[in-house]
Short mmCIF file of all heavy atoms in Angstrom, two decimals:
data_model
loop_
_atom_site.label_atom_id
_atom_site.label_comp_id
_atom_site.label_asym_id
_atom_site.label_seq_id
_atom_site.Cartn_x
_atom_site.Cartn_y
_atom_site.Cartn_z
N SER B 239 -22.84 -23.24 7.86
CA SER B 239 -23.92 -23.67 6.96
C SER B 239 -24.51 -22.51 6.25
O SER B 239 -24.35 -21.32 6.63
CB SER B 239 -25.03 -24.33 7.80
OG SER B 239 -25.64 -23.36 8.63
N PRO B 240 -25.21 -22.76 5.09
CA PRO B 240 -25.88 -21.64 4.41
C PRO B 240 -26.77 -20.82 5.36
O PRO B 240 -26.81 -19.61 5.25
CB PRO B 240 -26.71 -22.38 3.35
CG PRO B 240 -25.97 -23.59 3.09
CD PRO B 240 -25.36 -24.05 4.39
N LYS B 241 -27.46 -21.51 6.34
CA LYS B 241 -28.27 -20.71 7.25
C LYS B 241 -27.48 -19.84 8.18
O LYS B 241 -27.83 -18.69 8.39
CB LYS B 241 -29.13 -21.69 8.05
CG LYS B 241 -30.01 -20.94 9.11
CD LYS B 241 -30.94 -21.85 9.84
CE LYS B 241 -31.91 -21.04 10.73
NZ LYS B 241 -31.31 -19.99 11.51
N THR B 242 -26.38 -20.39 8.69
CA THR B 242 -25.54 -19.54 9.57
C THR B 242 -25.00 -18.33 8.80
O THR B 242 -25.01 -17.18 9.34
CB THR B 242 -24.30 -20.36 10.06
OG1 THR B 242 -24.69 -21.58 10.59
CG2 THR B 242 -23.47 -19.57 11.10
N ILE B 243 -24.60 -18.48 7.55
CA ILE B 243 -24.07 -17.40 6.77
C ILE B 243 -25.21 -16.39 6.53
O ILE B 243 -24.97 -15.17 6.60
CB ILE B 243 -23.44 -17.93 5.44
CG1 ILE B 243 -22.19 -18.75 5.76
CG2 ILE B 243 -23.13 -16.78 4.51
CD1 ILE B 243 -21.56 -19.49 4.56
N ALA B 244 -26.38 -16.90 6.17
CA ALA B 244 -27.52 -15.97 5.92
C ALA B 244 -27.84 -15.15 7.16
O ALA B 244 -28.11 -13.98 7.11
CB ALA B 244 -28.73 -16.78 5.44
N ASP B 245 -27.84 -15.86 8.33
CA ASP B 245 -28.10 -15.15 9.57
C ASP B 245 -27.06 -14.07 9.85
O ASP B 245 -27.39 -12.99 10.34
CB ASP B 245 -28.15 -16.14 10.73
CG ASP B 245 -29.45 -17.04 10.70
OD1 ASP B 245 -30.32 -16.68 9.90
OD2 ASP B 245 -29.45 -18.04 11.41
N ALA B 246 -25.79 -14.40 9.56
CA ALA B 246 -24.73 -13.43 9.79
C ALA B 246 -24.93 -12.24 8.87
O ALA B 246 -24.72 -11.08 9.25
CB ALA B 246 -23.34 -14.10 9.53
N GLN B 247 -25.32 -12.52 7.62
CA GLN B 247 -25.57 -11.42 6.69
C GLN B 247 -26.62 -10.47 7.14
O GLN B 247 -26.55 -9.27 7.05
CB GLN B 247 -25.85 -11.98 5.26
CG GLN B 247 -24.64 -12.63 4.59
CD GLN B 247 -24.99 -13.34 3.31
OE1 GLN B 247 -25.95 -14.16 3.30
NE2 GLN B 247 -24.24 -13.11 2.24
N SER B 248 -27.72 -11.13 7.69
CA SER B 248 -28.85 -10.30 8.20
C SER B 248 -28.37 -9.42 9.38
O SER B 248 -28.84 -8.32 9.55
CB SER B 248 -29.97 -11.23 8.66
OG SER B 248 -30.46 -11.95 7.61
N ALA B 249 -27.48 -10.02 10.20
CA ALA B 249 -27.07 -9.28 11.40
C ALA B 249 -26.26 -8.01 11.09
O ALA B 249 -26.15 -7.14 11.97
CB ALA B 249 -26.22 -10.19 12.30
N LEU B 250 -25.75 -7.90 9.87
CA LEU B 250 -24.91 -6.73 9.56
C LEU B 250 -25.69 -5.43 9.64
O LEU B 250 -25.12 -4.36 9.84
CB LEU B 250 -24.34 -6.88 8.12
CG LEU B 250 -23.23 -7.90 7.95
CD1 LEU B 250 -22.71 -7.80 6.48
CD2 LEU B 250 -22.11 -7.68 8.90
#
Side-chain angles (χ1 to χ4, degrees):
Chain B
S239 66
K241 179 175 186 315
T242 309
I243 292 174
D245 289 347
Q247 287 171 312
S248 299
L250 287 185

